[in-house]
mmCIF file of all heavy atoms in Angstrom:
data_model
loop_
_atom_site.group_PDB
_atom_site.id
_atom_site.type_symbol
_atom_site.label_atom_id
_atom_site.label_comp_id
_atom_site.label_asym_id
_atom_site.label_seq_id
_atom_site.Cartn_x
_atom_site.Cartn_y
_atom_site.Cartn_z
ATOM 1 N N ALA A 543 99.308 64.118 85.017
ATOM 2 C CA ALA A 543 99.986 65.411 84.908
ATOM 3 C C ALA A 543 99.399 66.241 83.772
ATOM 4 O O ALA A 543 99.175 67.445 83.925
ATOM 5 C CB ALA A 543 101.484 65.206 84.710
ATOM 6 N N ILE A 544 99.127 65.607 82.642
ATOM 7 C CA ILE A 544 98.565 66.372 81.518
ATOM 8 C C ILE A 544 97.120 66.766 81.804
ATOM 9 O O ILE A 544 96.697 67.872 81.475
ATOM 10 C CB ILE A 544 98.721 65.615 80.179
ATOM 11 C CG1 ILE A 544 98.516 66.575 79.010
ATOM 12 C CG2 ILE A 544 97.813 64.433 80.062
ATOM 13 C CD1 ILE A 544 98.887 66.009 77.671
ATOM 14 N N ARG A 545 96.359 65.911 82.475
ATOM 15 C CA ARG A 545 94.991 66.276 82.860
ATOM 16 C C ARG A 545 95.008 67.474 83.812
ATOM 17 O O ARG A 545 94.210 68.404 83.682
ATOM 18 C CB ARG A 545 94.294 65.097 83.527
ATOM 19 C CG ARG A 545 93.900 63.982 82.589
ATOM 20 C CD ARG A 545 93.123 62.898 83.345
ATOM 21 N NE ARG A 545 93.080 61.675 82.593
ATOM 22 C CZ ARG A 545 93.694 60.540 82.940
ATOM 23 N NH1 ARG A 545 94.407 60.462 84.057
ATOM 24 N NH2 ARG A 545 93.584 59.467 82.189
ATOM 25 N N GLN A 546 95.914 67.459 84.777
ATOM 26 C CA GLN A 546 96.020 68.547 85.745
ATOM 27 C C GLN A 546 96.419 69.858 85.063
ATOM 28 O O GLN A 546 95.886 70.915 85.372
ATOM 29 C CB GLN A 546 97.027 68.198 86.832
ATOM 30 C CG GLN A 546 97.128 69.255 87.900
ATOM 31 C CD GLN A 546 98.089 68.867 89.008
ATOM 32 O OE1 GLN A 546 98.920 67.985 88.847
ATOM 33 N NE2 GLN A 546 97.969 69.527 90.131
ATOM 34 N N THR A 547 97.333 69.783 84.118
ATOM 35 C CA THR A 547 97.755 70.973 83.381
ATOM 36 C C THR A 547 96.571 71.585 82.643
ATOM 37 O O THR A 547 96.383 72.808 82.652
ATOM 38 C CB THR A 547 98.877 70.621 82.391
ATOM 39 O OG1 THR A 547 100.000 70.142 83.132
ATOM 40 C CG2 THR A 547 99.284 71.816 81.554
ATOM 41 N N VAL A 548 95.749 70.745 82.028
ATOM 42 C CA VAL A 548 94.568 71.240 81.307
ATOM 43 C C VAL A 548 93.584 71.879 82.281
ATOM 44 O O VAL A 548 93.027 72.944 82.006
ATOM 45 C CB VAL A 548 93.909 70.106 80.493
ATOM 46 C CG1 VAL A 548 92.561 70.516 79.962
ATOM 47 C CG2 VAL A 548 94.826 69.690 79.356
ATOM 48 N N GLN A 549 93.387 71.269 83.437
ATOM 49 C CA GLN A 549 92.473 71.837 84.431
ATOM 50 C C GLN A 549 92.952 73.203 84.911
ATOM 51 O O GLN A 549 92.153 74.112 85.128
ATOM 52 C CB GLN A 549 92.332 70.893 85.620
ATOM 53 C CG GLN A 549 91.536 69.653 85.312
ATOM 54 C CD GLN A 549 91.523 68.671 86.469
ATOM 55 O OE1 GLN A 549 92.317 68.751 87.399
ATOM 56 N NE2 GLN A 549 90.607 67.715 86.407
ATOM 57 N N GLN A 550 94.252 73.374 85.051
ATOM 58 C CA GLN A 550 94.816 74.641 85.527
ATOM 59 C C GLN A 550 94.816 75.717 84.450
ATOM 60 O O GLN A 550 95.043 76.884 84.738
ATOM 61 C CB GLN A 550 96.243 74.423 86.033
ATOM 62 C CG GLN A 550 96.302 73.572 87.275
ATOM 63 C CD GLN A 550 97.727 73.190 87.651
ATOM 64 O OE1 GLN A 550 98.659 73.351 86.882
ATOM 65 N NE2 GLN A 550 97.886 72.667 88.844
ATOM 66 N N ALA A 551 94.552 75.344 83.202
ATOM 67 C CA ALA A 551 94.581 76.301 82.088
ATOM 68 C C ALA A 551 93.312 77.130 81.981
ATOM 69 O O ALA A 551 93.190 77.955 81.083
ATOM 70 C CB ALA A 551 94.836 75.559 80.778
ATOM 71 N N ASN A 552 92.364 76.911 82.882
ATOM 72 C CA ASN A 552 91.142 77.724 82.935
ATOM 73 C C ASN A 552 90.424 77.853 81.601
ATOM 74 O O ASN A 552 90.106 78.951 81.155
ATOM 75 C CB ASN A 552 91.454 79.119 83.491
ATOM 76 C CG ASN A 552 91.940 79.049 84.925
ATOM 77 O OD1 ASN A 552 91.419 78.284 85.714
ATOM 78 N ND2 ASN A 552 92.953 79.836 85.234
ATOM 79 N N GLY A 553 90.218 76.750 80.934
ATOM 80 C CA GLY A 553 89.453 76.749 79.695
ATOM 81 C C GLY A 553 90.249 76.964 78.429
ATOM 82 O O GLY A 553 89.695 76.902 77.343
ATOM 83 N N ALA A 554 91.539 77.249 78.562
ATOM 84 C CA ALA A 554 92.368 77.395 77.362
ATOM 85 C C ALA A 554 92.472 76.034 76.677
ATOM 86 O O ALA A 554 92.588 75.011 77.342
ATOM 87 C CB ALA A 554 93.759 77.919 77.721
ATOM 88 N N PRO A 555 92.413 76.001 75.360
ATOM 89 C CA PRO A 555 92.449 74.713 74.666
ATOM 90 C C PRO A 555 93.832 74.060 74.736
ATOM 91 O O PRO A 555 94.853 74.747 74.818
ATOM 92 C CB PRO A 555 92.108 75.074 73.223
ATOM 93 C CG PRO A 555 92.553 76.493 73.091
ATOM 94 C CD PRO A 555 92.323 77.126 74.437
ATOM 95 N N LEU A 556 93.845 72.761 74.705
ATOM 96 C CA LEU A 556 95.085 71.998 74.587
ATOM 97 C C LEU A 556 95.293 71.750 73.106
ATOM 98 O O LEU A 556 94.444 71.145 72.442
ATOM 99 C CB LEU A 556 94.988 70.677 75.344
ATOM 100 C CG LEU A 556 96.183 69.733 75.232
ATOM 101 C CD1 LEU A 556 97.449 70.400 75.784
ATOM 102 C CD2 LEU A 556 95.909 68.442 75.985
ATOM 103 N N VAL A 557 96.397 72.262 72.574
ATOM 104 C CA VAL A 557 96.702 72.132 71.155
ATOM 105 C C VAL A 557 98.043 71.434 71.021
ATOM 106 O O VAL A 557 99.050 71.892 71.545
ATOM 107 C CB VAL A 557 96.767 73.513 70.457
ATOM 108 C CG1 VAL A 557 97.094 73.343 68.975
ATOM 109 C CG2 VAL A 557 95.465 74.272 70.658
ATOM 110 N N SER A 558 98.040 70.321 70.318
ATOM 111 C CA SER A 558 99.266 69.557 70.121
ATOM 112 C C SER A 558 99.954 69.996 68.833
ATOM 113 O O SER A 558 99.331 70.081 67.779
ATOM 114 C CB SER A 558 98.931 68.060 70.046
ATOM 115 O OG SER A 558 100.110 67.302 69.926
ATOM 116 N N PHE A 559 101.250 70.299 68.947
ATOM 117 C CA PHE A 559 102.038 70.670 67.773
ATOM 118 C C PHE A 559 103.463 70.208 67.985
ATOM 119 O O PHE A 559 103.870 69.871 69.093
ATOM 120 C CB PHE A 559 101.987 72.195 67.529
ATOM 121 C CG PHE A 559 102.736 72.997 68.556
ATOM 122 C CD1 PHE A 559 104.052 73.365 68.343
ATOM 123 C CD2 PHE A 559 102.122 73.377 69.731
ATOM 124 C CE1 PHE A 559 104.755 74.100 69.297
ATOM 125 C CE2 PHE A 559 102.805 74.117 70.685
ATOM 126 C CZ PHE A 559 104.129 74.472 70.468
ATOM 127 N N CYS A 560 104.221 70.149 66.926
ATOM 128 C CA CYS A 560 105.654 69.838 67.012
ATOM 129 C C CYS A 560 106.339 70.665 65.922
ATOM 130 O O CYS A 560 105.900 71.765 65.628
ATOM 131 C CB CYS A 560 105.917 68.335 66.880
ATOM 132 S SG CYS A 560 105.410 67.602 65.319
ATOM 133 N N ASN A 561 107.367 70.158 65.323
ATOM 134 C CA ASN A 561 108.036 70.913 64.262
ATOM 135 C C ASN A 561 107.271 70.829 62.948
ATOM 136 O O ASN A 561 106.998 71.834 62.307
ATOM 137 C CB ASN A 561 109.479 70.424 64.082
ATOM 138 C CG ASN A 561 110.263 71.302 63.135
ATOM 139 O OD1 ASN A 561 110.192 72.517 63.203
ATOM 140 N ND2 ASN A 561 111.005 70.693 62.235
ATOM 141 N N THR A 562 106.923 69.619 62.530
ATOM 142 C CA THR A 562 106.237 69.442 61.253
ATOM 143 C C THR A 562 104.874 68.766 61.374
ATOM 144 O O THR A 562 104.191 68.598 60.379
ATOM 145 C CB THR A 562 107.106 68.602 60.286
ATOM 146 O OG1 THR A 562 107.355 67.331 60.883
ATOM 147 C CG2 THR A 562 108.403 69.305 59.963
ATOM 148 N N GLY A 563 104.468 68.351 62.547
ATOM 149 C CA GLY A 563 103.144 67.784 62.762
ATOM 150 C C GLY A 563 103.087 66.295 63.004
ATOM 151 O O GLY A 563 102.096 65.788 63.517
ATOM 152 N N HIS A 564 104.122 65.540 62.634
ATOM 153 C CA HIS A 564 104.010 64.081 62.739
ATOM 154 C C HIS A 564 104.078 63.584 64.179
ATOM 155 O O HIS A 564 103.351 62.674 64.549
ATOM 156 C CB HIS A 564 105.037 63.386 61.842
ATOM 157 C CG HIS A 564 106.460 63.673 62.173
ATOM 158 N ND1 HIS A 564 107.041 64.898 61.920
ATOM 159 C CD2 HIS A 564 107.401 62.905 62.736
ATOM 160 C CE1 HIS A 564 108.308 64.865 62.316
ATOM 161 N NE2 HIS A 564 108.544 63.675 62.810
ATOM 162 N N TRP A 565 104.919 64.157 65.036
ATOM 163 C CA TRP A 565 104.968 63.722 66.438
ATOM 164 C C TRP A 565 103.797 64.287 67.231
ATOM 165 O O TRP A 565 103.364 63.715 68.217
ATOM 166 C CB TRP A 565 106.284 64.106 67.088
ATOM 167 C CG TRP A 565 107.452 63.302 66.624
ATOM 168 C CD1 TRP A 565 107.427 62.077 66.009
ATOM 169 C CD2 TRP A 565 108.828 63.657 66.716
ATOM 170 N NE1 TRP A 565 108.706 61.665 65.720
ATOM 171 C CE2 TRP A 565 109.582 62.621 66.154
ATOM 172 C CE3 TRP A 565 109.490 64.763 67.219
ATOM 173 C CZ2 TRP A 565 110.964 62.655 66.086
ATOM 174 C CZ3 TRP A 565 110.875 64.797 67.158
ATOM 175 C CH2 TRP A 565 111.588 63.745 66.596
ATOM 176 N N ALA A 566 103.285 65.413 66.795
ATOM 177 C CA ALA A 566 102.144 66.026 67.468
ATOM 178 C C ALA A 566 100.932 65.102 67.458
ATOM 179 O O ALA A 566 100.119 65.125 68.375
ATOM 180 C CB ALA A 566 101.795 67.353 66.801
ATOM 181 N N ALA A 567 100.813 64.293 66.428
ATOM 182 C CA ALA A 567 99.678 63.373 66.334
ATOM 183 C C ALA A 567 99.688 62.360 67.472
ATOM 184 O O ALA A 567 98.627 61.992 67.979
ATOM 185 C CB ALA A 567 99.692 62.658 64.983
ATOM 186 N N THR A 568 100.870 61.924 67.892
ATOM 187 C CA THR A 568 100.956 60.983 69.011
ATOM 188 C C THR A 568 100.446 61.643 70.283
ATOM 189 O O THR A 568 99.647 61.055 71.020
ATOM 190 C CB THR A 568 102.407 60.495 69.213
ATOM 191 O OG1 THR A 568 102.865 59.889 68.011
ATOM 192 C CG2 THR A 568 102.499 59.499 70.354
ATOM 193 N N ASN A 569 100.905 62.867 70.556
ATOM 194 C CA ASN A 569 100.438 63.568 71.755
ATOM 195 C C ASN A 569 98.938 63.838 71.701
ATOM 196 O O ASN A 569 98.244 63.733 72.705
ATOM 197 C CB ASN A 569 101.210 64.870 71.955
ATOM 198 C CG ASN A 569 102.594 64.637 72.506
ATOM 199 O OD1 ASN A 569 102.937 63.532 72.925
ATOM 200 N ND2 ASN A 569 103.400 65.672 72.509
ATOM 201 N N TRP A 570 98.424 64.198 70.516
ATOM 202 C CA TRP A 570 96.982 64.403 70.380
ATOM 203 C C TRP A 570 96.230 63.123 70.729
ATOM 204 O O TRP A 570 95.268 63.142 71.485
ATOM 205 C CB TRP A 570 96.605 64.845 68.959
ATOM 206 C CG TRP A 570 95.110 64.898 68.818
ATOM 207 C CD1 TRP A 570 94.313 65.964 69.089
ATOM 208 C CD2 TRP A 570 94.245 63.824 68.463
ATOM 209 N NE1 TRP A 570 92.988 65.621 68.916
ATOM 210 C CE2 TRP A 570 92.927 64.306 68.530
ATOM 211 C CE3 TRP A 570 94.455 62.491 68.097
ATOM 212 C CZ2 TRP A 570 91.822 63.510 68.237
ATOM 213 C CZ3 TRP A 570 93.342 61.692 67.805
ATOM 214 C CH2 TRP A 570 92.044 62.204 67.872
ATOM 215 N N PHE A 571 96.678 62.009 70.163
ATOM 216 C CA PHE A 571 96.002 60.734 70.396
ATOM 217 C C PHE A 571 95.983 60.374 71.878
ATOM 218 O O PHE A 571 94.943 60.010 72.429
ATOM 219 C CB PHE A 571 96.672 59.615 69.597
ATOM 220 C CG PHE A 571 96.057 58.269 69.854
ATOM 221 C CD1 PHE A 571 94.882 57.904 69.233
ATOM 222 C CD2 PHE A 571 96.651 57.381 70.738
ATOM 223 C CE1 PHE A 571 94.290 56.672 69.477
ATOM 224 C CE2 PHE A 571 96.076 56.143 70.995
ATOM 225 C CZ PHE A 571 94.891 55.786 70.362
ATOM 226 N N VAL A 572 97.123 60.500 72.536
ATOM 227 C CA VAL A 572 97.187 60.134 73.953
ATOM 228 C C VAL A 572 96.315 61.066 74.786
ATOM 229 O O VAL A 572 95.533 60.609 75.629
ATOM 230 C CB VAL A 572 98.642 60.121 74.465
ATOM 231 C CG1 VAL A 572 98.681 59.941 75.971
ATOM 232 C CG2 VAL A 572 99.424 59.000 73.792
ATOM 233 N N ALA A 573 96.422 62.375 74.554
ATOM 234 C CA ALA A 573 95.637 63.327 75.349
ATOM 235 C C ALA A 573 94.139 63.145 75.120
ATOM 236 O O ALA A 573 93.356 63.095 76.071
ATOM 237 C CB ALA A 573 96.052 64.759 75.017
ATOM 238 N N SER A 574 93.741 63.017 73.867
ATOM 239 C CA SER A 574 92.328 62.931 73.526
ATOM 240 C C SER A 574 91.729 61.554 73.793
ATOM 241 O O SER A 574 90.720 61.435 74.481
ATOM 242 C CB SER A 574 92.135 63.284 72.047
ATOM 243 O OG SER A 574 90.786 63.126 71.676
ATOM 244 N N GLU A 575 92.377 60.540 73.266
ATOM 245 C CA GLU A 575 91.769 59.213 73.266
ATOM 246 C C GLU A 575 92.162 58.345 74.463
ATOM 247 O O GLU A 575 91.384 57.498 74.880
ATOM 248 C CB GLU A 575 92.117 58.493 71.966
ATOM 249 C CG GLU A 575 91.738 59.280 70.719
ATOM 250 C CD GLU A 575 90.264 59.660 70.683
ATOM 251 O OE1 GLU A 575 89.412 58.761 70.816
ATOM 252 O OE2 GLU A 575 89.969 60.865 70.525
ATOM 253 N N VAL A 576 93.345 58.535 75.007
ATOM 254 C CA VAL A 576 93.789 57.716 76.148
ATOM 255 C C VAL A 576 93.504 58.439 77.464
ATOM 256 O O VAL A 576 92.915 57.858 78.375
ATOM 257 C CB VAL A 576 95.284 57.342 76.025
ATOM 258 C CG1 VAL A 576 95.739 56.524 77.226
ATOM 259 C CG2 VAL A 576 95.548 56.574 74.723
ATOM 260 N N ALA A 577 93.904 59.709 77.558
ATOM 261 C CA ALA A 577 93.681 60.469 78.790
ATOM 262 C C ALA A 577 92.242 60.970 78.899
ATOM 263 O O ALA A 577 91.795 61.344 79.974
ATOM 264 C CB ALA A 577 94.649 61.642 78.882
ATOM 265 N N GLY A 578 91.521 60.980 77.773
ATOM 266 C CA GLY A 578 90.114 61.369 77.790
ATOM 267 C C GLY A 578 89.868 62.859 77.949
ATOM 268 O O GLY A 578 88.817 63.269 78.422
ATOM 269 N N ILE A 579 90.803 63.684 77.524
ATOM 270 C CA ILE A 579 90.642 65.128 77.626
ATOM 271 C C ILE A 579 89.768 65.604 76.467
ATOM 272 O O ILE A 579 90.041 65.304 75.306
ATOM 273 C CB ILE A 579 92.015 65.831 77.613
ATOM 274 C CG1 ILE A 579 92.839 65.366 78.822
ATOM 275 C CG2 ILE A 579 91.849 67.341 77.600
ATOM 276 C CD1 ILE A 579 94.279 65.798 78.781
ATOM 277 N N GLU A 580 88.718 66.332 76.801
ATOM 278 C CA GLU A 580 87.775 66.818 75.791
ATOM 279 C C GLU A 580 88.364 67.974 74.997
ATOM 280 O O GLU A 580 89.053 68.835 75.550
ATOM 281 C CB GLU A 580 86.487 67.290 76.467
ATOM 282 C CG GLU A 580 85.715 66.189 77.167
ATOM 283 C CD GLU A 580 84.994 65.274 76.203
ATOM 284 O OE1 GLU A 580 84.557 65.750 75.135
ATOM 285 O OE2 GLU A 580 84.878 64.080 76.517
ATOM 286 N N GLY A 581 88.073 68.023 73.711
ATOM 287 C CA GLY A 581 88.385 69.178 72.879
ATOM 288 C C GLY A 581 89.846 69.388 72.535
ATOM 289 O O GLY A 581 90.226 70.496 72.158
ATOM 290 N N VAL A 582 90.666 68.353 72.641
ATOM 291 C CA VAL A 582 92.082 68.504 72.281
ATOM 292 C C VAL A 582 92.178 68.788 70.787
ATOM 293 O O VAL A 582 91.497 68.166 69.973
ATOM 294 C CB VAL A 582 92.888 67.224 72.623
ATOM 295 C CG1 VAL A 582 94.349 67.377 72.226
ATOM 296 C CG2 VAL A 582 92.758 66.887 74.096
ATOM 297 N N LYS A 583 93.015 69.740 70.428
ATOM 298 C CA LYS A 583 93.197 70.123 69.029
ATOM 299 C C LYS A 583 94.556 69.653 68.532
ATOM 300 O O LYS A 583 95.507 69.532 69.300
ATOM 301 C CB LYS A 583 93.130 71.646 68.872
ATOM 302 C CG LYS A 583 91.906 72.285 69.463
ATOM 303 C CD LYS A 583 90.668 71.907 68.720
ATOM 304 C CE LYS A 583 89.483 72.668 69.300
ATOM 305 N NZ LYS A 583 88.230 72.002 69.062
ATOM 306 N N LEU A 584 94.643 69.414 67.245
ATOM 307 C CA LEU A 584 95.905 69.082 66.582
ATOM 308 C C LEU A 584 96.192 70.186 65.580
ATOM 309 O O LEU A 584 95.347 70.520 64.750
ATOM 310 C CB LEU A 584 95.805 67.736 65.863
ATOM 311 C CG LEU A 584 97.011 67.338 65.011
ATOM 312 C CD1 LEU A 584 98.247 67.149 65.882
ATOM 313 C CD2 LEU A 584 96.715 66.078 64.226
ATOM 314 N N PHE A 585 97.377 70.783 65.678
ATOM 315 C CA PHE A 585 97.814 71.800 64.720
ATOM 316 C C PHE A 585 98.768 71.096 63.760
ATOM 317 O O PHE A 585 99.972 71.037 63.990
ATOM 318 C CB PHE A 585 98.484 72.960 65.453
ATOM 319 C CG PHE A 585 98.944 74.086 64.580
ATOM 320 C CD1 PHE A 585 98.260 74.446 63.427
ATOM 321 C CD2 PHE A 585 100.074 74.808 64.917
ATOM 322 C CE1 PHE A 585 98.696 75.499 62.620
ATOM 323 C CE2 PHE A 585 100.515 75.858 64.125
ATOM 324 C CZ PHE A 585 99.824 76.199 62.986
ATOM 325 N N PRO A 586 98.233 70.488 62.679
ATOM 326 C CA PRO A 586 99.063 69.642 61.824
ATOM 327 C C PRO A 586 100.195 70.375 61.117
ATOM 328 O O PRO A 586 101.219 69.769 60.819
ATOM 329 C CB PRO A 586 98.071 69.052 60.820
ATOM 330 C CG PRO A 586 96.884 69.919 60.856
ATOM 331 C CD PRO A 586 96.855 70.566 62.218
ATOM 332 N N GLU A 587 100.029 71.676 60.866
ATOM 333 C CA GLU A 587 101.102 72.419 60.213
ATOM 334 C C GLU A 587 102.253 72.686 61.166
ATOM 335 O O GLU A 587 103.377 72.932 60.761
ATOM 336 C CB GLU A 587 100.576 73.758 59.665
ATOM 337 C CG GLU A 587 99.552 73.600 58.576
ATOM 338 C CD GLU A 587 98.135 73.442 59.135
ATOM 339 O OE1 GLU A 587 97.927 73.489 60.368
ATOM 340 O OE2 GLU A 587 97.218 73.260 58.318
ATOM 341 N N SER A 588 101.962 72.689 62.451
ATOM 342 C CA SER A 588 102.923 72.860 63.533
ATOM 343 C C SER A 588 103.844 74.050 63.315
ATOM 344 O O SER A 588 103.442 75.055 62.736
ATOM 345 C CB SER A 588 103.677 71.558 63.781
ATOM 346 O OG SER A 588 102.807 70.621 64.408
#
């Protein structure tokens, strides 16, 4: 589902964020390292 969402975004970057940044790191890791999505960004300041 997350891979498909990225494909439908027509080149828009996938940026992971949350309220303060700590949960966003989990989503970044899964999207980038587990799902293999290229160029995933983490917005640590969220």
Side-chain angles (χ1 to χ4, degrees):
I544 197 169
R545 287 184 197 112
Q546 183 178 18
T547 298
V548 169
Q549 288 175 344
Q550 293 172 347
N552 296 319
L556 176 61
V557 180
S558 183
F559 70 94
C560 62
N561 188 44
T562 59
H564 62 288
W565 288 340
T568 302
N569 284 350
W570 174 89
F571 177 80
V572 172
S574 176
E575 305 304 306
V576 179
I579 299 170
E580 296 286 327
V582 179
K583 307 292 184 204
L584 174 64
F585 182 33
E587 296 86 2
S588 288

